[in-house]
Amino acid sequence: TDGLLRCTYKTHDSGDELTSAYSLCFDPAGENLVCGYKKAAVTYCLQRPGAQPLGVFDLSAHGQNEIISTVALSRFGMVACGSYDGTVGLYTDAGSFKPYFLIPKMHHRSGVTQVMFSPCGGFLYTGGRKDGKIHCWEMRAGSGAKPLYSLARPQVKKTNQTIAFDIHPHGGHLY
């Protein structure tokens, strides 16, 4: 709130070069920070600043082969990672990144630019670049084969802009 730097978190690539995150998300408890990189995610403990993360996770082993462009954490600890390759990976928790299921790239026309859990944690909403739909996925299903429903947003199909959405804190409205 006063503009002072509190701490830094550094990530190095395989060539020991400093690299920047493409996306990040704080966990609901405010204890950890999850960052998205190319084909990887890194979890940091906010109480331990520096270059030593809690974990570095190779997401290409689970089918996510591009930049992790968006990250969301549910109140139950589940992690969703959207990628520029059009996939959305669901992982059981930010500490282990055990795969839960992968939403295949056929559901988004281009890269996934936003993932967001509903306040209850039972649903995941996904949206992408040049994609005229926001998809809703039920978390209990355990398979990313088909969205529960999709919401049309026709104005997005012709633009390269990232069009964001948000969910009302009580879960009654999608903006």
Side-chain angles (χ1 to χ4, degrees), residues 133-150:
K133 294 181 180 174
I134 296 172
H135 299 294
C136 176
W137 308 87
E138 186 176 10
M139 295 293 89
R140 292 181 297 167
S143 71
K146 185 177 173 187
L148 184 62
Y149 62 87
S150 298

Side-chain angles (χ1 to χ4, degrees), residues 128-131 154-163:
R129 189 175 149 268
K130 288 188 172 181
D131 195 343
Q155 75 280 7
V156 176
K157 286 184 184 180
K158 299 176 184 172
T159 180
N160 278 326
Q161 293 178 332
T162 300
I163 308 296

Side-chain angles (χ1 to χ4, degrees), residues 85-88 101-108 137 143-146:
D85 68 4
T87 61
V88 178
F101 68 84
L102 182 74
I103 297 170
K105 56 179 101 181
M106 67 183 176
H107 295 289
H108 290 285
W137 308 87
S143 71
K146 185 177 173 187

Side-chain angles (χ1 to χ4, degrees), residues 8 18 129 132 141 143 164 174:
T8 59
L18 193 61
R129 189 175 149 268
S143 71
L174 184 74

